[in-house]
């Protein structure tokens, strides 16, 4: 069974964030992990592209049908649950990396914490630490640090 | 069809928060709305008790089976989805009132905003306003104000 | 907590089937049970109308939004899961009555059996009995018999 | 994006059925498709083993956690939805092959038909043809015929 690292973030992103997402995807693939995302644009697309360019395998847990998937998704799961697919993405991943993002990303971060998972955050939401009574929310400052921590979580 | 107000918050709460939840439930019932919650303890229980004492009707969208429901739930929906039931509770409600709460509550707040809904917050999470690009997050300071705003949202 | 009887069947139905559905709904309400259905037309509508005319309470677990609900639904749960809402309807009900119906109804019957529930069938699918290793599938010939058996299951 | 063929069937099966499932899995892999199943024993295990022995890739959409997966699952999706994961498996697959099976399998067959999909049946449920108003239910008598038809459906 392959370890799965979930990458969550906005469906649109600025250039700098796109590069960070790409590098995260690249490192996930180079470390022989599968990258799971929501399968759409922005952070999801650039992370998936990074993984594909490095020879990795990508999963997209989609809100609706397969036609939505970005071009770098190998395995498309068309849930037709709308944004409730966020829950499923979280459950699919052994650990998550949050990059930037808006309320959709926050719903994934918080659901992951509530399920007791570790979320590694890069330029993402600031949360009131004392209210996080389940899971781990770790803020890092580089893609390399994020993936290194994610790998440590899996092994 | 009856309007449904969702009440979200922690499954345990301090006495002051219990009172706030009770008052919110009471006002929901007095205004002829149905109260939907996650059906468990803490904020969910006290809000449901408030609604029942005022002659209202309560729904509990439960993580697992009916035996989990607090004693003030009239209609129990046993989802067996675990915490993924949070999504369903959010979708069931026309508007939501968040009281206190931890990461589970945050997952409901953020999922509701992501679905474009209004969440009225009482002693709950502080969020980075500029990142809320969908839905409405309104902080208020009393149960009466919370329910009044919720009613305005429905009508 | 109120007992909930699920009524499943096609979203269109012939006049005789409509009458059967109406009578089933009427009897559910007269016996102080809540009627849950998929909230749309056909069997779902006529059963809900029967329940409302007898002073009962009705729940509609909808595929998409509240605007889909037939006019006899008191509590609308807009799941936005599409036909995957069938699972949730099954889980909401303590016992189910299947009336007529096509493959959607069969998905509800079989999922209910798989969850160990009792399904009482009126003019519905013929199933290979020896393959039903979980749940109970009981064929009856009148609405009165169906509701009587359903009530026995609850009590 | 890789085409995905879903294989559904009982979690226990007799030796002859195990061989049929193994052959179906082998042919799916040899034809460069991904095999998706419920990830447990019986038909799911033997089909996945067949696919792995032929160098293919397998997905298991699990009722609960990763520890449930049979040893031939590459990508485990732990849904924690219980048997409601059946819906997700159906949606993940471009076409389904049903082998033998009980009420759980029937819930997958009927849900797939209701979503308009093609289900190819090998020694599985007999259904009343005139009630199948959506999807395609095609009964075949050999694994080779089943996979050939499934491939035709995809291309």
């Amino acid at each position: 069974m392959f370890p799965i690292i979930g990458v969550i973030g906005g469906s649109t992103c600025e250039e700098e964030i796109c590069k960070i997402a790409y590098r995260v995807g690249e490192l996930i693939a180079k470390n022989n992990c599968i990258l799971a995302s929501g399968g759409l644009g922005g952070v999801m697309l650039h992370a998936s592209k990074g993984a594909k360019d490095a020879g990795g395998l990508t999963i997209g847990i989609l809100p609706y049908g397969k036609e939505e998937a970005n071009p770098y998704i190998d395995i498309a799961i068309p849930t037709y649950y709308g944004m409730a697919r966020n829950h499923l993405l979280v459950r699919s991943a052994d650990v998550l990396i949050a990059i930037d993002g808006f309320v959709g990303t926050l719903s994934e971060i918080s659901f992951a914490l509530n399920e007791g998972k570790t979320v590694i955050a890069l330029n993402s939401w600031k949360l009131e630490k004392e209210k996080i009574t389940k899971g781990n929310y770790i803020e890092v400052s580089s893609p390399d640090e994020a993936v290194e921590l994610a790998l440590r979580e899996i092994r």
Side-chain angles (χ1 to χ4, degrees), chain A:
Chain A
M1 204 187 299
F2 300 111
I4 300 177
I5 297 180
V7 175
I8 54 181
S11 59
T12 57
C13 59
E14 293 186 15
E15 213 184 314
E16 201 197 356
I17 296 293
C18 294
K19 281 183 192 164
I20 289 173
Y22 183 91
R23 176 70 179 153
V24 164
E26 199 180 22
L27 289 168
I28 288 173
K30 282 187 177 162
N31 284 285
N32 303 310
C33 292
I34 293 179
L35 185 151
S37 75
L40 304 181
V43 164
M44 301 172 254
L45 182 148
H46 290 278
S48 300
K49 186 173 191 311
K52 288 311 299 167
D53 288 352
L57 192 71
T58 60
I59 304 177
I61 311 277
L62 299 160
Y64 299 99
K66 292 203 167 188
E67 66 286 356
E68 290 177 319
N70 70 55
Y72 308 103
I73 297 299
D74 295 315
I75 300 172
I77 309 284
T79 66
Y80 291 94
Y81 286 173
M83 290 304 153
R85 70 80 152 82
N86 291 3
H87 272 178
L88 198 72
L89 171 56
V90 164
R91 287 185 170 167
S92 301
D94 297 305
V95 56
L96 293 109
I97 298 175
I99 304 170
D100 196 54
F102 303 98
V103 285
T105 303
L106 183 59
S107 82
E108 294 168 316
I109 292 170
S110 49
F111 182 67
L113 295 174
N114 200 34
E115 299 263 299
K117 300 208 171 187
T118 292
V119 180
I120 297 153
L122 262 167
N123 295 63
S124 193
W125 286 81
K126 306 272 167 234
L127 299 179
E128 295 162 84
K129 290 280 153 33
E130 70 282 5
K131 289 193 175 177
I132 303 177
T133 53
K134 289 162 84 178
N136 277 306
Y137 192 63
I138 307 171
E139 290 177 81
V140 295
S141 51
S142 77
D144 295 64
E145 205 184 341
V147 176
E148 201 191 305
L149 272 179
L151 293 171
R152 215 178 289 169
E153 196 63 32
I154 288 168
R155 279 140 199 184

